[in-house]
Amino acid sequence: MSAKNVLSLLSLSKRFGTTLANDQVTLDLKRGEILALLGENGAGKTTLMNMLFGHYLPDEGSILISNAEDKMVPLTPGHPQAALAAGIGMVHQHFTLAENLTALENITLGSEPLWALGTNKVKVREKIEKIIKRSGLKVDLNVAVGRLSVGEKQRVEILKALYRDAKILVLDEPTAVLTPQEADLLFKNIQAMTLDGLSVIFISHKLREVLEFSHRIVVLRNGKKVGEILTCDADEKIIANMMVGEDAKVLKRTKLKVGQSLLSLSAITLKGNSLRNSLSDISLVVHEHEVLGVAGVSGNGQSVLAELISGLSFPNLGEIKIGSNRIDKPSPMAMISAGIGRIPEDRHRDGIVGSMTVAENAILESLNDPRVQRFGFLRQEAMTDYAEKLCEAYDVRGPGVRFPARLLSGGNIQKLILARVFEKLPSLILANQPTRGLDLGAASDVERRLLDARNRGAGVILISEDLDEILRLSDRIMVMYSGELKEVSSRNREEIGMLMAGKNK
Amino acid sequence: MIRIEARNSPPMLLKVGVPIFAAFVSLLLAAIPLAFAGANIGTAFVEMVRGVFGSVFAFSEMLTRATPLIFTGLAAAVAFRARLWNIGAEGQLYLGAMAAVAVGTGVLDVSGIILIPVIIIIGCFAGAFGMAVPVILKTRFGADEVVTTLLLNFIVLILVQMMLEGPLKDPMGLGWPQSSPILDQGMLPVLLDRMRVHSGLIIGLILALVLQLLITRSVWGFKLRAVGENIAASRHAGIRINRSLLSVAVCSGGLAGLAGVSEVIGLKGYLTADISPGFGYTGIVVAMLAGLSPVGVVVAALFIASVFVGADSMSRAMGVSSYLADLVVSMSLLCVLIGGFFAHYRVAWVSAPAKVKK
């Protein structure tokens, strides 16, 4: 491609306290190009985009953007209004939509004066419909956004940017909440839009979609740009190495003969307060030496399934058996004593008590252990020793075990929870979104430990939105949709994706 | 532009220094109403100090005043640690006091070695019951304990008035709404001859130490803190929340009940409906001032009692309203709350980003 530049970031730096979030990052974007911005968590991708959009003021460097006459002019830093006016549209990971307004109202919100909407409605609608036709982003404009699906909401966000005549679209992890089909559709639409001259930067963790849909890849690490490669010259290994800076270890799952049943749920029905929190007639079995992957778009009952296995929810109907014992009164304590280790989805809310020390969090589930307490009193020294050993074995890095756990980073909090769970040698591990929000290094560490546990003889229930992760780790795969659980024998992405979207062949 | 940043972990110096600083600031602020009242501020403060430290009697009066505040302060501190908002210490205090006169005025005529512990235990039970009810309502039906405990205060007070006009009324009391006196052997020994300060103070000090140890070192205290800081994670980790809350409630209510017992069998010797000038509520201030630390409660209770006793004596000497003491106490609470904010957050002035013209 030899198109002209529409955007140049010139050696942008941003410092937060003592950390250098962005260090002299230089980046060009061409007209009609799809640029993928890759990097681990904390690599500085979001900071960079926030500077572009004017949320942050860069400490050094400048931004050039092409104006109407195709000349590169400097962009006023630190002013979102200026970025909007210059044609930059940003779609955040968490949507910023008013749920009770219609799609049409959301799209025009902020760019059309409210009182003029009545008179301009026809013109406004025509403009949006033209954009929809050109981009292929199909949305029912008259429906309240709250009733749209996640994929549709995202389309509304993009339409909102396009309505403001965005020339450059920034998407922050756009596919995190989409089914594979929705994601593919999104990228097809984006490709169509770039033919009209739109330029796109998207932030992603998923190597597959980056390789499939981008033109060029820029990799950030520790705030620096460490690599730039045309997608046609790249493969997964090259990019992964750029991201972590060393040879990424490839996980190997050897086939094992499964042992006896560890946990079985039969015909469980649980009526929650909404469909998202209900289970209808689900059954599953997990055996020794087995990883059972539960795939699905979040909000289809995974949380309540996890609560059930954690002992936090009670089924209305059905039977839970651990080994050969029926569990009549599930409770977290009963599940822990039965040898179930639980890695919660929301680790900050359910996993740790942030204001208590790392050491105290390390023993949160072992308060009855004589190694930790004697006559109802905690053995401070034993506790600290235990926590220190644990932190070393599981590579939990932070200010020390006597400091509040909330000072740890997300990845280290997860490692602490993992340490707490694995140290008890659980016979069954429930891992709910265990790598969500973790960087590549921490995530592959978590995955490796889950496989180690399986090889040792434990059973693992892995609930994840990341289909690639499910495919990598699981011996068997089930798909959750709308509170129902179906086993799939195939390992075909398309087929699993169809089930995730609720479509039976 | 002001920017407010959270401190990662407030340094120890700040944690301890802020309440002390706040206490001083509140005393200084008391100069404003004093000036309005037309008093000489210098003399007023001297009178206040003399009212507390001027004589052994003055000092012992301060200790007497601090005793119930230690109990109610501990009651609030232990409950607040678990984020259980017990606003009902006042009512629980009266329940404890009522139980004390119920068993201590002649129903049980045994020697003091038996009678005193029995009165104390029954009083604790009564107070514990007063807090257990709202907590059961909370865990069963989700009733907000702030509302229930607060309202129970008034219910209990009316109950006390009813009992003092009825079954508990002293037949020899010349018609006054007061109970019969506690048997002589049921009274706590005084600490100093001809002074009112009594051994309830010693019980309070011991309990403060025990609670400090329990909260920081025991499994029970661990659970209490965990439930207070993050109830979801505690539940997930298998801590029985309801059981934990109930045990905290029993402990907190028992302590508040003990405040009533100590006033009745340590100081007054009988029960009236005005035995507590709001000790239950002041206990909340004491606990907050102490940063919810049991040992800190002792210090805070001594401070608040000094303010009360000192302001009392000052008002008598100078003819200023003694409500000034209430003012200082409330200002100290406000100062501590504001100070606590500064202990946890750092406030920085930053220059606004330069506006660039388009």
Side-chain angles (χ1 to χ4, degrees):
Chain A
M1 276 212 254
S2 57
K4 283 183 83 163
N5 278 357
V6 286
L7 176 77
S8 303
L9 309 183
L10 300 175
S11 48
L12 285 181
S13 295
K14 179 73 189 171
R15 200 181 292 275
F16 292 113
T18 52
T19 44
L20 200 55
N22 276 151
D23 185 6
Q24 308 266 333
V25 180
T26 296
L27 193 75
D28 287 324
L29 183 66
K30 295 189 176 73
R31 170 152 307 142
E33 186 181 35
I34 303 178
L35 176 74
L37 198 54
L38 263 173
E40 304 201 285
N41 275 317
K45 302 167 303 221
T46 306
T47 307
L48 189 67
M49 289 303 107
N50 277 334
M51 282 197 285
L52 170 62
F53 199 60
H55 286 317
Y56 295 152
L57 199 63
D59 293 332
E60 280 169 48
S62 58
I63 301 169
L64 296 179
I65 190 161
S66 68
N67 66 4
E69 290 97 49
D70 259 353
K71 285 217 185 76
M72 298 299 277
V73 292
L75 176 73
T76 314
H79 281 264
Q81 286 301 333
L84 279 175
I88 301 172
M90 186 147 175
V91 177
H92 293 275
Q93 204 174 343
H94 304 285
F95 302 145
T96 51
L97 296 170
E99 302 249 305
N100 51 343
L101 298 183
T102 64
L104 180 91
E105 286 162 336
N106 265 291
I107 291 167
T108 54
L109 198 66
S111 39
E112 297 290 333
L114 279 175
W115 64 83
L117 203 61
T119 53
N120 276 350
K121 214 160 190 172
V122 180
K123 247 165 79 187
V124 165
R125 185 178 287 269
E126 264 172 20
K127 182 175 173 188
I128 298 175
E129 269 164 3
K130 219 162 84 190
I131 299 172
I132 291 180
K133 216 165 147 196
R134 295 258 294 267
S135 63
L137 298 164
K138 283 200 193 69
V139 176
D140 186 344
L141 292 174
N142 302 316
V143 174
V145 161
R147 288 170 49 199
L148 296 177
S149 74
V150 187
E152 287 170 316
K153 283 182 190 170
Q154 189 172 49
R155 274 174 243 154
V156 174
E157 280 278 13
I158 298 172
L159 285 172
K160 202 162 95 181
L162 295 180
Y163 183 79
R164 294 175 174 186
D165 300 318
K167 293 180 293 184
I168 298 163
L169 191 63
V170 179
L171 302 162
D172 191 355
E173 298 211 28
T175 60
V177 289
L178 303 182
T179 63
Q181 276 81 8
E182 282 176 312
D184 286 356
L185 181 63
L186 171 72
F187 281 113
K188 297 236 165 70
N189 291 335
I190 289 175
Q191 282 175 332
M193 289 182 272
T194 54
L195 297 180
D196 284 350
L198 185 80
S199 311
V200 176
I201 300 178
F202 77 96
I203 294 176
S204 180
H205 274 308
K206 298 180 185 164
L207 301 186
R208 190 190 59 84
E209 64 192 29
V210 168
L211 285 169
E212 202 164 330
F213 296 108
S214 71
H215 299 137
R216 195 154 53 97
I217 300 168
V218 166
V219 180
L220 294 184
R221 189 171 75 233
N222 295 330
K224 288 198 187 83
K225 185 165 107 176
V226 290
E228 185 171 355
I229 188 167
L230 287 176
T231 309
C232 48
D233 301 331
D235 66 27
E236 273 196 35
K237 201 158 179 289
I238 296 175
I239 311 176
N241 288 351
M242 276 191 199
M243 278 168 72
V244 289
E246 61 195 63
D247 277 341
K249 287 181 204 106
V250 182
L251 276 177
K252 247 189 133 175
R253 187 167 50 86
T254 47
K255 216 159 170 62
L256 286 176
K257 215 175 147 219
V258 300
Q260 59 201 52
S261 147
L262 291 169
L263 170 81
S264 73
L265 307 180
S266 23
I268 298 257
T269 293
L270 196 158
K271 291 191 183 74
N273 48 10
S274 71
L275 207 59
R276 298 168 67 92
N277 293 318
S278 298
L279 298 174
S280 59
D281 194 24
I282 64 154
S283 298
L284 65 79
V285 187
V286 194
H287 303 93
E288 290 171 342
H289 290 300
E290 182 177 62
V291 178
L292 173 67
V294 176
V297 181
S298 74
N300 274 298
Q302 292 97 326
S303 304
V304 70
L305 175 66
E307 278 177 19
L308 183 80
I309 301 171
S310 302
L312 292 163
S313 289
F314 311 95
N316 298 91
L317 285 172
E319 188 185 60
I320 307 173
K321 269 168 108 177
I322 296 178
S324 52
N325 301 326
R326 245 184 84 147
I327 302 288
D328 289 318
K329 278 193 173 165
S331 73
M333 208 59 217
M335 294 308 192
I336 295 171
S337 340
I340 300 186
R342 296 108 9 100
I343 300 167
E345 175 179 13
D346 187 338
R347 44 187 165 266
H348 292 273
R349 195 193 64 192
D350 296 327
I352 61 156
V353 183
S355 54
M356 291 172 84
T357 66
V358 173
E360 286 175 321
N361 275 287
I363 60 148
L364 197 58
E365 289 181 356
S366 338
L367 291 173
N368 296 324
D369 192 326
R371 279 177 302 173
V372 173
Q373 65 130 328
R374 196 161 35 194
F375 311 125
F377 280 85
L378 294 166
R379 303 168 61 182
Q380 301 287 332
E381 243 137 77
M383 210 171 96
T384 312
D385 286 350
Y386 174 74
E388 266 163 5
K389 255 193 279 171
L390 221 57
C391 286
E392 194 172 318
Y394 288 80
D395 192 30
V396 181
R397 281 177 233 171
V401 299
R402 288 169 196 276
F403 284 86
R406 74 186 141 79
L407 298 181
L408 300 179
S409 69
N412 281 307
I413 286 175
Q414 188 70 327
K415 283 187 202 162
L416 176 64
I417 294 170
L418 235 51
R420 185 171 78 201
V421 167
F422 285 176
E423 206 47 29
K424 301 183 114 184
L425 297 177
S427 56
L428 179 79
I429 295 158
L430 166 71
N432 191 1
Q433 315 289 358
T435 61
R436 181 190 277 171
L438 300 189
D439 60 43
L440 207 63
S444 72
D445 195 53
V446 170
E447 291 184 356
R448 184 176 55 76
R449 288 195 189 271
L450 286 173
L451 276 188
D452 284 351
R454 157 197 180 261
N455 296 343
R456 155 174 77 74
V460 177
I461 299 179
L462 169 71
I463 301 178
S464 178
E465 277 165 16
D466 185 348
L467 188 52
D468 296 310
E469 178 171 275
I470 296 261
L471 289 169
R472 255 194 318 274
L473 297 184
S474 308
D475 298 296
R476 280 191 300 129
I477 297 174
M478 297 182 95
V479 174
M480 190 138 211
Y481 177 77
S482 185
E484 288 174 34
L485 200 54
K486 286 204 183 77
E487 176 129 21
V488 273
S489 45
S490 122
R491 294 197 153 254
N492 180 302
R493 294 183 58 87
E494 292 294 312
E495 226 167 285
I496 297 173
M498 291 294 270
L499 284 170
M500 281 165 74
K503 290 179 195 112
N504 269 320
K505 324 154 243 189
Chain B
M1 204 161 72
I2 304 174
R3 204 177 49 198
I4 293 163
E5 298 168 341
R7 291 179 205 269
N8 275 343
S9 47
M12 202 60 199
L13 188 72
L14 228 79
K15 271 193 197 158
V16 179
V18 160
I20 294 175
F21 184 69
F24 271 104
V25 170
S26 62
L27 278 177
L28 289 180
L29 286 175
I32 299 171
L34 269 175
F36 271 105
N40 181 322
I41 294 165
T43 346
F45 277 115
V46 170
E47 282 296 334
M48 239 162 120
V49 173
R50 278 206 3 222
V52 181
F53 300 102
S55 66
V56 178
F57 174 74
F59 194 66
S60 79
E61 276 302 293
M62 186 275 282
L63 293 178
T64 312
R65 192 53 100 79
T67 305
L69 292 180
I70 292 176
F71 289 116
T72 54
L74 289 175
V78 72
F80 288 8
R81 266 293 174 94
R83 300 271 156 93
L84 188 64
W85 307 113
N86 179 7
I87 314 296
E90 187 77 3
Q92 292 141 26
L93 180 152
Y94 274 106
L95 284 174
M98 210 154 53
V101 294
V103 290
T105 51
V107 179
L108 204 63
D109 196 353
V110 288
S111 84
I113 303 174
I114 299 171
L115 187 55
I116 291 178
V118 167
I119 293 177
I120 288 178
I121 289 168
I122 302 269
C124 279
F125 268 112
F129 172 76
M131 187 56 201
V133 170
V135 168
I136 289 169
L137 291 178
K138 176 191 169 82
T139 51
R140 274 285 156 78
F141 306 109
D144 189 336
E145 79 276 16
V146 174
V147 177
T148 51
T149 55
L150 183 65
L151 293 181
L152 271 174
N153 286 339
F154 304 105
I155 295 172
V156 169
L157 195 62
I158 291 168
L159 177 72
V160 168
Q161 285 164 355
M162 188 188 88
M163 295 302 272
L164 288 179
E165 294 286 358
L168 287 179
K169 189 168 181 174
D170 183 6
M172 320 290 275
L174 303 171
W176 290 102
Q178 67 180 46
S179 76
S180 309
I182 298 281
L183 299 177
D184 281 346
Q185 71 267 34
M187 291 293 287
L188 288 172
V190 290
L191 291 178
L192 289 170
D193 257 356
R194 286 178 294 125
M195 306 278 167
R196 298 204 300 164
V197 59
H198 55 89
S199 34
L201 177 65
I202 307 295
I203 299 175
L205 293 178
I206 293 171
L207 282 179
L209 287 175
V210 169
L211 265 179
Q212 181 78 28
L213 197 70
L214 282 177
I215 286 182
T216 55
R217 291 294 156 92
S218 76
V219 173
W220 177 77
F222 183 101
K223 288 180 181 168
L224 170 162
R225 285 182 288 135
V227 169
E229 300 290 350
N230 186 344
I231 199 162
S234 306
R235 183 178 293 128
H236 190 269
I239 295 174
R240 292 191 176 97
I241 306 292
N242 290 355
R243 189 183 284 195
S244 223
L245 286 179
L246 196 61
S247 74
V248 170
V250 165
C251 179
S252 170
L255 284 162
L258 209 46
V261 170
S262 137
E263 285 299 280
V264 168
I265 69 170
L267 193 64
K268 301 280 164 85
Y270 54 87
L271 174 64
T272 56
D274 58 358
I275 195 171
S276 159
F279 288 136
Y281 301 110
T282 312
I284 296 169
V285 184
V286 169
M288 295 305 286
L289 204 56
L292 306 187
S293 130
V295 168
V297 160
V298 173
V299 181
L302 290 175
F303 169 73
I304 299 281
S306 303
V307 170
F308 273 124
V309 172
D312 241 17
S313 138
M314 186 259 300
S315 73
R316 271 196 308 274
M318 310 199 44
V320 185
S321 163
S322 67
Y323 285 117
L324 194 75
D326 292 316
L327 205 58
V328 176
V329 169
S330 11
M331 281 193 296
S332 71
L333 177 62
L334 287 178
C335 289
V336 165
L337 294 180
I338 295 168
F341 172 82
F342 286 107
H344 287 100
Y345 296 92
R346 183 184 293 120
V347 178
W349 293 90
V350 289
S351 51
K355 294 232 159 126
V356 187
K357 288 224 170 85
K358 277 187 207 168

